[in-house]
Amino acid sequence: MFEFAWPWVFALLPLPLLARLFLPRTKPLSSALKVPFYGSLAQRGGGAPHNPFNLFLLSILWLLLLTAAARPQWYGEPITQTSSARDLLLAVDISGSMETPDMLLNGRPAMRIDAVKNVVGDFVERREGDRLGLVLFGTRAYLQAPLTYDRETVGTLLREAQIGFAGQGTAIGDAIGLSVKRLMERPAEQRVLILLTDGANTAGEVAPLKAAELAQQAGVTVYTVGIGAEEMVQPGLLGSRFGARRINPSRDLDSDTLQAIADKTDGRFFRAHNPEELAQIYEELDRLEPVEQEAASYRPLKSLYVWPLAAALIFALLWATIPLLLNLRLGRSGNGVPEPGPSGAREGNA
């Protein structure tokens, strides 16, 4: 759809005519430079206001300038764009126990943190439209990535996380408290925290259940994920089978507390024994917390002032050059303007 943003500019259309009718004419100077062929130039050049050709060009030029000043613009067809109102924080345990090699990735033993980076990284890529953030916690909890639509940066920071950066302990309560604080800073229809750990709360200043109460009051849904195999063969002497024994590497996992946190905040507790189960959990989280998108439509706007402005420039050049070209041609033919002598001009009274 075509329209003018400032159509009132066209009220200035009769301004040159009003200026010609009501403003006083300029008085001629008492002395001037006389050019023998000026009369012929004035009849055809840009200085002859009564010339019909000049009046036509100047009128078109004024109209084009007003058209450009009125800001012509074109509105395109409505485009629907979707956006999400969800804030989602990922809290990932990077304490010392997360380097336990009880996971299998591509058929090879791998540390828990490597399985988490692999699965959660894919989850981050799928959350297009959500504001995502990353909290890393060990003995202390740190906001590694604030809530942002930049999923690539969140994924990169997750992949670069290293064991021990936040200490060797596990501050589950502090991680929840920090996440709740960050989620409350942004308005959202729904706030979600996904907390992943492999142990129990052994550090921090806030008890996990107290932090869960704060999350409940703030309207934050907390999903807890416990990771770690329940059976692992510990090598014997010098890594051989001699003296090897089976152990439970997840004996420190506090499933009861994680379940209580999820229940208090209307979330769910998940248990992942291997990367496959972990991937299934995050797929389930995708279904439980789908990307809620709000439809918003807008119409692309394109400014068109450049076209009448360019046309005005062309008409101005025509107004300035065509009469000069005509006089040059006339002077060469010898039918009108005599070529000036050596003196070229003489002074006299106007």
Side-chain angles (χ1 to χ4, degrees):
M1 182 180 68
F2 177 82
E3 69 173 25
F4 289 100
W6 297 340
W8 51 265
V9 171
F10 288 106
L12 301 177
L13 189 61
L15 185 61
L17 179 60
L18 296 176
R20 181 177 178 83
L21 292 176
F22 297 104
L23 290 181
R25 296 179 179 273
T26 57
K27 296 180 179 180
L29 298 175
S30 58
S31 62
L33 186 66
K34 288 190 175 181
V35 182
F37 50 89
Y38 176 76
S40 178
L41 283 174
Q43 291 178 3
R44 299 177 177 85
H50 299 290
N51 189 310
F53 180 74
N54 285 332
L55 290 176
F56 172 75
L57 287 180
L58 290 174
S59 300
I60 296 297
L61 178 61
W62 177 245
L63 178 60
L64 290 172
L65 289 176
L66 289 181
T67 302
R71 292 182 57 190
Q73 51 195 15
W74 176 266
Y75 283 97
E77 294 297 326
I79 296 177
T80 301
Q81 190 175 34
T82 57
S83 61
S84 173
R86 187 188 305 276
D87 286 341
L88 194 153
L89 263 178
L90 305 173
V92 178
D93 186 351
I94 57 170
S95 61
S97 58
M98 287 293 289
E99 63 182 353
T100 304
D102 60 348
M103 298 283 114
L104 284 177
L105 281 178
N106 301 321
R108 296 182 178 181
M111 294 188 297
R112 294 171 178 175
I113 189 63
D114 294 330
V116 170
K117 291 179 180 180
N118 184 63
V119 174
V120 179
D122 291 340
F123 175 80
V124 169
E125 288 299 318
R126 295 195 300 267
R127 303 303 297 188
E128 183 176 0
D130 277 347
R131 282 188 294 262
L132 298 177
L134 177 64
V135 172
L136 301 177
F137 67 96
T139 305
R140 294 166 296 276
Y142 296 97
L143 180 67
Q144 190 72 358
L147 290 166
T148 176
Y149 290 110
D150 188 356
R151 294 174 291 119
E152 182 178 352
T153 297
V154 175
T156 299
L157 292 174
L158 174 63
R159 290 190 297 271
E160 293 176 351
Q162 299 296 320
I163 298 297
F165 273 11
Q168 298 297 318
T170 307
I172 296 175
D174 285 5
I176 297 175
L178 176 60
S179 301
V180 170
K181 178 182 177 182
R182 293 300 179 179
L183 288 169
M184 289 180 63
E185 292 177 353
R186 296 288 298 269
E189 292 182 0
Q190 191 164 0
R191 303 181 177 102
V192 179
L193 168 64
I194 301 176
L195 182 139
L196 183 145
T197 184
D198 67 343
N201 190 76
T202 59
E205 300 179 358
V206 182
L209 295 182
K210 179 62 177 179
E213 292 179 5
L214 297 175
Q216 181 187 33
Q217 295 171 5
V220 177
T221 302
V222 181
Y223 294 97
T224 54
V225 181
I227 186 173
E230 292 184 349
E231 186 177 277
M232 175 182 172
V233 176
Q234 189 175 47
L237 185 63
L238 299 177
S240 66
R241 294 184 179 181
F242 180 76
R245 59 194 180 95
R246 294 182 180 274
I247 62 171
N248 179 10
S250 298
R251 59 185 177 274
D252 295 330
L253 179 64
D254 190 355
S255 299
D256 294 337
T257 298
L258 296 177
Q259 181 70 63
I261 293 171
D263 292 341
K264 189 177 289 292
T265 59
D266 296 327
R268 283 181 59 181
F269 166 64
F270 300 92
R271 182 71 173 88
H273 301 87
N274 50 60
E276 292 75 18
E277 291 184 1
L278 186 62
Q280 293 174 3
I281 288 170
Y282 277 89
E283 289 177 2
E284 179 67 15
L285 289 171
D286 266 333
R287 291 189 290 268
L288 291 174
E289 296 293 340
V291 179
E292 293 181 354
Q293 294 184 337
E294 297 178 346
S297 62
Y298 72 96
R299 302 183 68 174
L301 176 64
K302 183 178 182 180
S303 296
L304 304 176
Y305 73 91
V306 64
W307 298 105
L309 194 60
L313 178 61
I314 293 174
F315 272 87
L317 292 174
L318 291 175
W319 177 73
T321 58
I322 288 180
L324 295 179
L325 293 176
L326 291 175
N327 282 294
L328 181 60
R329 181 180 179 184
L330 184 60
R332 287 178 177 176
S333 64
N335 294 328
V337 181
E339 297 201 6
S343 60
R346 58 187 175 86
E347 289 190 7
N349 294 328

